[in-house]
Amino acid sequence: MALNQASDNSVMGKTGSSDVPADGTGVIKLDPWLLPFRDALKARYSHAQDLIKKINETEGGLDEFSKGYTKFGLNVSGNGDVTYREWAPNAKQAFLMGDFNDWNRESVPMTRDDFGVWQVTLPAKEGNTAIPHNTKVKMSMVLPSGDRIERVPAWITRVTQDIKVSPVYDGTFWNPPPSERYHFKNKKPSKPASVRIYEAHVGISSPELRITTYKEFTQNVLPRIQRLGYNVIQLMAIMEHAYYASFGYQINSFFAASSRFGTPEELMELIDTAHGMGITVLLDVVHSHASKNFDDGLNQFDGTDHLYFHDGVKGRHELWDSRLFNYAHHEVLRFLLSNLRYWMDVYQFDGFRFDGVTSMLYKHHGIGTGFSGGYNEYFGSGVDEDGVVYLMVANEMLHQIYPECITIAEDVSGMPALCLALSLGGIGFDYRLAMAIPDLFIKWLKEKEDIEWDMGALCFTLTDRRHGEKTIAYAESHDQALVGDKSLLMWLCDKELYTHMSKLTEFTPVIERGLSLHKLIRLVTHGLGGEGYLNFEGNEFGHPEWLDFPRDGNDNSYWYARRQFNLPDDELLRYQFLNNFDAAMQWTEEKYGWLHSDQAYVSLKNEKDKVIVFERAGLLWIFNFHPTGSFADYRVGVQQSGTYQIVLDTDDTAFAGFGRNVKGTRFFTTPFEWNGRKNFIQVYIPTRTAIVSPIESNLPARLLTSLLLGLGTRINLVKSW
């Protein structure tokens, strides 16, 4: 870990030790199993270096190269001239048309350079742009065959849809007057040491049966996220996607913020407001594939099959029914790197969660491939070196220009060195997603009785991550909530969510089990699963049912495309207790910082008792997953001697528990080795509960007092530290 932290996240930089060469093989120091693949590591490292050197020589460096959005597309100069540039080498003639010229296909011809880039400048008229703000535009091209095609500009920053006229999106020239432009007011927050991510989709962020707006998210959801204690928001479905039910993963306009939620300025306000709350904002970016639309997408943009994408079968993802980028092409690199830069510069995002990284890393895109963990799977002919190198260069650009930037990789394969420094031969991401954890919980809930849960397997899955590579853990994300599956609480309680979540109804065994396991699953994932934590919006309070966007198959219903925030806000419903617990969990992490501490030491995995005990960040964590057994005077080992006191108890009455551990109870160590630790304490640990306790010397006096006062005071005190 120390070597990685001391090394530059740059293929042009230095490693953290003089005895580690900067040739791509430094990762072997951290993972000796990579030794047989040193030549492959050197090759991709050299490939990335050569690519950056070429960009330096031909484009003036990555900084300049990644500013393509200031040159391509529609740009306005200081005097009001509008210049439009587009790469379309197959076109024999090209024209700009729109509302501004009554859609005349011939009146505004463009000129072509030697690289297939078309350009035209429309002089200002009396200080005003020749193209009025918020009017429609298109590019018209004549192909070698003589056929004419018309396309929405590839670099367009605003597209809109009038479903009454056509499902096809229209390109819009967006150039608001100075009085209507958004000016950022707040400083970006510093990169958080502990990353607690709230994954959100703007459109579903309301109980109402409609699409929620950026403004409503800013006003209603941001304060909720702040109160819960999350310090990072990961926004999904921002890049414009024609098909709403794609969840934002079939992008047609890469530089356009989705207009179905509001204007660009309203998205800027959302991000700026979050920054003012101290919240970092990440974009869920999709560079793994693109929509196959050609009327309003990149597909066959200049009439060829291979402009931005690979030709033929190689350029198509058979499961996603979408197009695959050619990462080896100079202009594709310009487009994608500039896309990242655009969202960072114009909208002030703080980083990215890269979707579909597995598809980018391998020529087989992960289709029909079960990754066993054998290192031969990560190198050789199945790897798409161009995709790997693109990700390396993207991380190089982002981390050099924006040192506080955060990048997260969604990869199911377990690619080694994905989150190690570039100078060591890594791919340069900050975090990877622990995608096996939610799969385990769903599998067990579907297939196992509670008494069959394997504590060893649970601990293994939660701690099975590559040494030195930071991981984001989560119990469930949007993937687990999609139609065909359902939320964790729905698996746990099923139909009783409809009949027994009111405080006025019986607290049935099903509801008691569901609420208890929901808390245990999230807490053990938070404490043991990684160096970051993620929650999909609504799941913090056990959102019922599943997600399903309006589509033909459900009569275009919004019933499942919403988040019912009214549920935890209703004092008569039990959802509030899970919401309270989630807030307490986040704010306790804010105080103790276990996510950025060393990995936990697990001292007990008792299969008979279903008890797990571990230490992390100076805290003692004790879990009892047994469905019926409660244990008094249960002996657990602990390394540091002293007095321990509970700061988080899933059985607290504020969390729909029974309060079986009295607030203020202290546990005193005995200097006798137990479970490989120097001391032991004896605790009462009721069935399906967990407690988290620091040593009293680490417990602020104000919290000692608050432990006697109730949840509200405790959370407020934790938040004020």
Side-chain angles (χ1 to χ4, degrees):
M1 182 71 83
L3 175 61
N4 186 52
Q5 292 175 341
S7 300
D8 294 337
N9 202 8
S10 167
V11 295
M12 314 303 283
K14 298 179 180 178
T15 64
S17 174
S18 58
D19 65 344
V20 177
D23 63 355
T25 62
V27 293
I28 298 172
K29 276 276 187 181
L30 300 174
D31 188 351
W33 291 96
L34 287 168
L35 182 60
F37 308 100
R38 61 182 298 118
D39 290 340
L41 290 166
K42 281 186 173 182
R44 78 181 190 192
Y45 189 83
S46 178
H47 186 167
Q49 283 187 321
D50 291 344
L51 182 55
I52 292 173
K53 288 174 183 176
K54 178 185 175 184
I55 290 171
N56 290 342
E57 294 167 1
T58 60
E59 301 283 352
L62 270 177
D63 186 6
E64 193 63 29
F65 185 58
S66 59
K67 292 179 184 175
Y69 70 89
T70 66
K71 300 179 179 67
F72 285 79
L74 293 149
N75 286 284
V76 181
S77 64
N79 67 355
D81 290 353
V82 178
T83 299
Y84 174 50
R85 290 189 185 90
E86 199 75 73
W87 177 53
N90 187 54
K92 291 302 179 185
Q93 292 177 278
F95 307 86
L96 179 63
M97 63 178 187
D99 291 334
F100 73 96
N101 72 341
D102 295 325
W103 296 96
N104 188 313
R105 288 183 171 87
E106 304 283 344
S107 67
V108 185
M110 303 175 70
T111 57
R112 183 188 191 277
D113 69 11
D114 294 338
F115 301 99
V117 175
W118 295 87
Q119 174 179 326
V120 64
T121 297
L122 282 68
K125 297 178 180 179
E126 299 179 357
N128 298 315
T129 57
I131 306 176
H133 165 59
N134 201 19
T135 60
K136 297 174 183 177
V137 292
K138 258 189 177 180
M139 184 182 187
S140 180
M141 289 171 276
V142 177
L143 305 182
S145 64
D147 293 334
R148 183 182 286 269
I149 60 174
E150 289 159 2
R151 298 287 186 262
V152 172
W155 298 69
I156 197 79
T157 60
R158 175 79 167 165
V159 293
T160 55
Q161 181 191 52
D162 185 348
I163 195 65
K164 296 176 183 177
V165 177
S166 169
V168 176
Y169 273 71
D170 296 309
T172 300
F173 177 66
W174 194 256
N175 182 45
S179 61
E180 297 178 16
R181 294 172 189 169
Y182 189 80
H183 300 282
F184 287 87
K185 305 174 184 66
N186 297 304
K187 183 181 178 182
K188 285 189 170 192
S190 299
K191 188 175 183 177
S194 289
V195 173
R196 302 184 300 274
I197 302 173
Y198 196 86
E199 182 185 37
H201 183 294
V202 170
I204 66 172
S205 298
S206 163
E208 298 183 35
L209 299 174
R210 60 175 177 82
I211 294 174
T212 312
T213 67
Y214 295 127
K215 272 198 167 296
E216 290 168 327
F217 190 95
T218 301
Q219 294 165 0
N220 303 327
V221 184
L222 285 184
R224 185 181 297 273
I225 296 170
Q226 185 185 37
R227 287 195 301 270
L228 284 167
Y230 290 90
N231 58 3
V232 179
I233 299 171
Q234 180 181 298
L235 286 179
M236 308 172 62
I238 296 298
M239 301 166 74
E240 191 59 273
H241 47 293
Y243 185 41
Y244 189 45
S246 75
F247 220 141
Y249 292 119
Q250 294 271 350
I251 308 302
N252 54 309
S253 291
F254 283 74
F255 291 84
S258 183
S259 60
R260 55 171 57 88
F261 310 135
T263 67
E265 287 69 31
E266 289 165 348
L267 174 57
M268 294 174 191
E269 181 185 28
L270 186 163
I271 295 166
D272 192 27
T273 304
H275 287 165
M277 295 176 171
I279 299 173
T280 295
V281 187
L282 307 181
L283 175 67
D284 195 350
V285 71
V286 185
H287 282 183
S288 49
H289 64 130
S291 165
K292 68 177 183 180
N293 291 13
F294 51 84
D295 284 332
D296 54 8
L298 294 179
N299 192 18
Q300 299 181 25
F301 185 84
D302 69 347
T304 64
D305 196 40
H306 56 267
L307 185 65
Y308 287 97
F309 312 110
H310 289 293
D311 199 4
V313 175
K314 187 178 180 181
R316 287 168 172 76
H317 197 292
E318 62 184 68
L319 294 184
W320 296 342
D321 193 25
S322 55
R323 298 304 313 273
L324 298 169
F325 286 105
N326 178 2
Y327 301 110
H329 200 290
H330 189 80
E331 292 302 327
V332 175
L333 290 174
R334 187 199 305 277
F335 182 85
L336 295 176
L337 292 174
S338 297
N339 188 236
L340 298 173
R341 188 79 186 270
Y342 171 80
W343 292 108
M344 294 291 287
D345 289 350
V346 175
Y347 285 92
Q348 297 290 295
F349 278 97
D350 302 295
F352 302 95
R353 178 260 200 193
F354 281 74
D355 179 69
V357 166
T358 305
S359 179
M360 304 170 76
L361 294 174
Y362 305 98
K363 295 175 183 176
H364 51 66
H365 312 295
I367 299 173
T369 303
F371 292 96
S372 67
Y375 277 53
N376 60 300
E377 297 170 341
Y378 305 123
F379 300 93
S381 59
V383 174
D384 186 345
E385 188 171 293
D386 293 327
V388 174
V389 169
Y390 164 67
L391 291 170
M392 293 173 72
V393 174
N395 274 302
E396 171 97 20
M397 183 270 290
L398 288 169
H399 288 96
Q400 294 307 303
I401 298 174
Y402 313 100
E404 296 279 283
C405 176
I406 296 173
T407 59
I408 302 171
E410 186 217 26
D411 169 44
V412 299
S413 75
M415 168 67 81
L418 188 65
C419 300
L420 293 180
L422 289 162
S423 63
L424 294 174
I427 299 178
F429 284 98
D430 295 291
Y431 298 91
R432 67 196 311 157
L433 293 175
M435 303 182 73
I437 296 174
D439 292 342
L440 176 78
F441 288 127
I442 292 294
K443 181 178 176 64
W444 283 6
L445 289 174
K446 288 179 179 178
E447 300 176 2
K448 289 179 179 287
E449 297 294 327
D450 295 357
I451 197 67
E452 297 176 321
W453 285 27
D454 185 327
M455 299 297 99
L458 177 57
C459 290
F460 175 80
T461 300
L462 288 168
T463 58
D464 183 26
R465 50 190 185 270
R466 296 195 178 279
H467 180 68
E469 299 194 44
K470 292 188 289 186
T471 299
I472 304 290
Y474 56 103
E476 54 182 333
S477 73
H478 67 270
D479 288 328
Q480 284 68 46
L482 288 173
V483 64
D485 212 323
K486 49 191 177 184
S487 68
L488 276 179
L489 195 65
M490 196 70 189
W491 278 112
L492 288 162
C493 300
D494 202 49
K495 62 184 179 182
E496 288 204 16
L497 284 184
Y498 301 113
T499 58
H500 287 83
M501 281 301 279
S502 169
K503 290 162 59 177
L504 304 179
T505 61
E506 178 190 1
F507 193 38
T508 66
V510 170
I511 295 297
E512 179 189 345
R513 168 185 178 265
L515 300 189
S516 297
L517 284 178
H518 194 273
K519 290 177 287 184
L520 288 183
I521 286 169
R522 302 177 93 73
L523 184 60
V524 76
T525 301
H526 210 309
L528 199 55
E531 291 71 38
Y533 178 78
L534 179 143
N535 167 69
F536 178 66
E537 71 173 316
N539 289 346
E540 68 275 7
F541 62 81
H543 200 287
E545 301 172 329
W546 49 87
L547 275 172
D548 189 13
F549 285 80
R551 54 188 174 85
D552 290 340
N554 64 10
D555 294 326
N556 291 307
S557 171
Y558 284 88
W559 185 261
Y560 298 109
R562 59 187 179 130
R563 296 282 90 179
Q564 298 180 59
F565 289 121
N566 55 301
L567 298 178
D569 294 345
D570 191 329
E571 289 293 324
L572 291 178
L573 297 180
R574 293 185 168 112
Y575 294 99
Q576 63 181 296
F577 299 122
L578 295 181
N579 200 68
N580 290 345
F581 176 74
D582 198 81
M585 184 169 62
Q586 308 310 328
W587 286 111
T588 306
E589 198 289 325
E590 172 71 13
K591 165 65 179 86
Y592 292 99
W594 60 75
L595 288 174
H596 65 269
S597 71
D598 292 338
Q599 192 164 320
Y601 181 91
V602 181
S603 61
L604 180 64
K605 297 168 283 189
N606 190 307
E607 297 300 342
K608 177 176 177 291
D609 297 340
K610 302 300 176 187
V611 171
I612 294 171
V613 179
F614 61 87
E615 295 155 77
R616 189 177 186 188
L619 298 166
L620 178 63
W621 308 64
I622 306 171
F623 291 80
N624 179 6
F625 281 90
H626 201 287
T628 58
S630 296
F631 306 108
D633 295 326
Y634 197 85
R635 186 173 291 189
V636 301
V638 63
Q639 191 69 9
Q640 189 174 355
S641 63
T643 303
Y644 288 79
Q645 192 159 20
I646 300 169
V647 292
L648 191 60
D649 180 1
T650 65
D651 197 42
D652 194 310
T653 55
F655 311 142
F658 295 100
R660 286 165 287 193
N661 268 305
V662 178
K663 292 182 176 70
T665 300
R666 296 177 180 178
F667 307 114
F668 304 94
T669 59
T670 299
F672 184 86
E673 185 175 337
W674 194 259
N675 290 334
R677 312 308 276 164
K678 292 181 179 179
N679 306 277
F680 73 80
I681 63 171
Q682 295 188 163
V683 302
Y684 175 44
I685 185 72
T687 174
R688 290 195 181 116
T689 66
I691 54 176
V692 181
S693 309
I695 195 165
E696 198 166 274
S697 61
N698 295 333
L699 194 66
R702 297 173 65 200
L703 185 62
L704 286 174
T705 302
S706 75
L707 285 167
L708 304 173
L709 301 180
L711 171 72
T713 305
R714 279 211 308 284
I715 289 181
N716 288 333
L717 285 170
V718 173
K719 287 165 65 176
S720 69
W721 292 334

